[in-house]
């Protein structure tokens, strides 16, 4: 392998190695246009592109969860009650109410903890409520009683579960949230919700793999998963996932980069 990078999202670490380094976009000789291939039906190309986008969105959600809720979080479901005052099947109307909820929540939350941070998805209750909108959120509301939170919401029911973060549980939560990004009704809407100023992963490119693996070994990293793909745009590609107790200790190691 000639190229490697590490993506550090809180305690979750991805190590990606490839046979060839990635090309920058300026090397695209097709003017940025997608190549034409008459042998591949357009529907199949579109479906493959959609699957790729879903995977990227899911990975983005996982990284943001790991970066911002590495110790504990609340898994919150906000449901709208039936009312004539609000179209609870309109995404735009329900998002407007969610924004009002955040404004009501902020001043009361400041007395107890840090400002409201969250990632989440929109889902629809189809079986018995004809597509009523509701929200699933991973958030930092861990010091406010659910009774007080329900009063602030004031638009229906709330379900809140407090969760201690770990690799297995976090993956299950992200898998559950994935359902909410695949609904066709979300076309022209953001695939998932997120608050501002969330921490993003640290990416170390041109990695010196032996030194980085030594750092993982010293922190007693837990190996989670991995795979090898033989035929990719970067040649042979190998990806591994780890979970560490002290990511800051891993980042203390110097000279990870082979070259700048």
């Amino acid at each position: 392998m000639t190229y490697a990078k590490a993506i550090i999202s809180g305690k979750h670490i991805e190590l990606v190695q490839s046979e060839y380094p990635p090309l920058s976009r300026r090397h695209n000789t097709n003017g940025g246009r997608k190549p034409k291939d008459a042998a591949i039906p357009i529907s199949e190309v579109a479906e493959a592109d959609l699957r790729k986008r879903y995977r990227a969105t899911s990975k983005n959600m996982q990284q943001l969860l790991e970066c911002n809720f590495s110790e504990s979080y609340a898994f919150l479901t906000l449901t709208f009650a039936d009312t004539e005052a609000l179209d609870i099947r309109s995404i735009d109307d329900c998002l407007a109410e969610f924004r009002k909820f955040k404004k009501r929540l902020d001043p009361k939350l400041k007395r107890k903890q840090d400002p409201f941070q969250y990632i989440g998805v929109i889902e629809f209750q189809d079986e018995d409520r004809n597509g009523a909108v509701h929200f699933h959120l991973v958030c930092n509301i861990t010091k406010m009683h659910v009774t007080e939170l329900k009063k602030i919401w004031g638009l229906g029911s709330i379900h809140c579960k407090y969760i201690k973060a770990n690799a297995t549980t976090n993956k299950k939560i992200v898998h559950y949230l994935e359902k909410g990004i695949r609904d066709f009704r979300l076309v022209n809407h953001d695939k998932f919700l997120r608050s501002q100023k969330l921490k993003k992963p640290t990416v170390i490119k041109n990695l010196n793999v032996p030194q980085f693996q030594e750092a993982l070994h010293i922190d007693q990293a837990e190996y989670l998963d991995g795979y090898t793909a033989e035929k990719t745009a970067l040649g042979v590609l190998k990806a591994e996932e780890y979970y560490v107790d002290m990511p800051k200790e891993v980042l203390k190691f110097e000279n990870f980069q082979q070259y700048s």
Side-chain angles (χ1 to χ4, degrees):
M1 299 292 184
T2 61
Y3 179 83
K5 69 177 180 179
I7 305 168
I8 302 176
S9 308
K11 297 180 178 182
H12 184 271
I13 294 178
E14 298 168 81
L15 175 59
V16 182
Q17 302 177 67
S18 60
E19 190 174 1
Y20 309 113
L23 294 175
S24 62
R25 292 184 178 180
R26 65 177 178 271
H27 289 96
N28 188 337
T29 59
N30 198 33
R33 298 185 300 273
K34 293 182 178 179
K36 295 181 179 180
D37 189 340
I40 304 176
I42 294 177
S43 60
E44 290 186 18
V45 174
E47 186 177 343
D49 183 60
L50 197 58
R51 288 197 301 268
K52 184 177 179 180
R53 292 185 184 185
Y54 287 150
R55 287 195 298 270
T57 300
S58 178
K59 181 175 285 292
N60 192 6
M61 285 196 297
Q62 181 179 3
Q63 290 174 344
L64 290 177
L65 189 156
E66 298 285 0
C67 284
N68 295 277
F69 310 99
S70 59
E71 299 299 331
S72 63
Y73 51 87
F75 186 69
L76 191 65
T77 300
L78 303 176
T79 304
F80 292 91
D82 288 296
T83 174
E84 294 182 358
L86 171 68
D87 183 358
I88 63 173
R89 292 158 188 86
S90 165
I91 297 174
D92 290 332
D93 289 354
C94 291
L95 283 173
E97 292 299 328
F98 179 65
R99 289 191 288 269
K100 294 176 185 177
F101 164 68
K102 290 192 293 181
K103 289 182 178 179
R104 296 193 298 271
L105 175 65
D106 283 342
K108 296 189 177 182
L109 203 60
K110 286 179 182 178
R111 304 171 191 169
K112 301 176 182 291
Q113 62 173 75
D114 294 334
F116 186 35
Q117 290 188 317
Y118 63 89
I119 61 171
V121 295
I122 300 169
E123 283 194 1
F124 304 89
Q125 295 174 290
D126 288 322
E127 290 187 6
D128 54 358
R129 300 196 68 202
N130 194 28
V133 170
H134 64 284
F135 302 108
H136 291 303
L137 305 173
V138 169
C139 67
N140 66 335
I141 305 179
T142 56
K143 298 180 180 179
M144 178 179 285
H145 195 278
V146 67
T147 302
E148 183 179 3
L149 191 57
K150 186 174 182 179
K151 289 180 181 178
I152 299 171
W153 173 237
L155 298 168
S157 64
I158 277 185
H159 181 268
C160 186
K161 183 176 182 180
Y162 300 105
I163 295 174
K164 183 175 176 59
N166 62 63
T168 301
T169 301
N170 294 353
K171 188 172 184 178
K172 288 180 180 178
I173 291 293
V174 172
H175 181 69
Y176 185 85
L177 293 175
E178 280 181 358
K179 297 184 300 178
I181 67 175
R182 299 174 181 271
D183 198 293
F184 70 92
R185 286 167 287 192
L186 292 175
V187 173
N188 299 324
H189 289 85
D190 289 338
K191 289 295 179 286
F192 73 102
L193 311 173
R194 75 215 83 171
S195 54
Q196 296 180 350
K197 299 181 180 179
L198 290 174
K199 297 175 186 176
K200 295 182 179 180
T202 297
V203 180
I204 305 174
K205 299 179 180 180
N206 305 320
L207 199 66
N208 185 314
V209 175
Q211 288 187 8
F212 190 73
Q213 288 178 328
E214 180 185 356
L216 293 177
H217 176 72
I218 290 174
D219 194 35
Q220 298 182 335
E222 175 190 357
Y223 175 80
L224 298 177
D225 199 2
Y227 68 89
T228 298
E230 297 291 338
K231 297 180 180 180
T232 77
L234 303 178
V236 178
L237 184 144
K238 181 180 180 181
E240 299 169 321
E241 294 182 50
Y242 297 89
Y243 209 72
V244 299
D245 289 328
M246 296 178 290
K248 290 183 179 179
E249 294 300 314
V250 174
L251 288 171
K252 282 183 180 179
F253 277 69
E254 298 179 354
N255 301 319
F256 280 150
Q257 290 186 312
Q258 301 181 82
Y259 50 87
S260 59

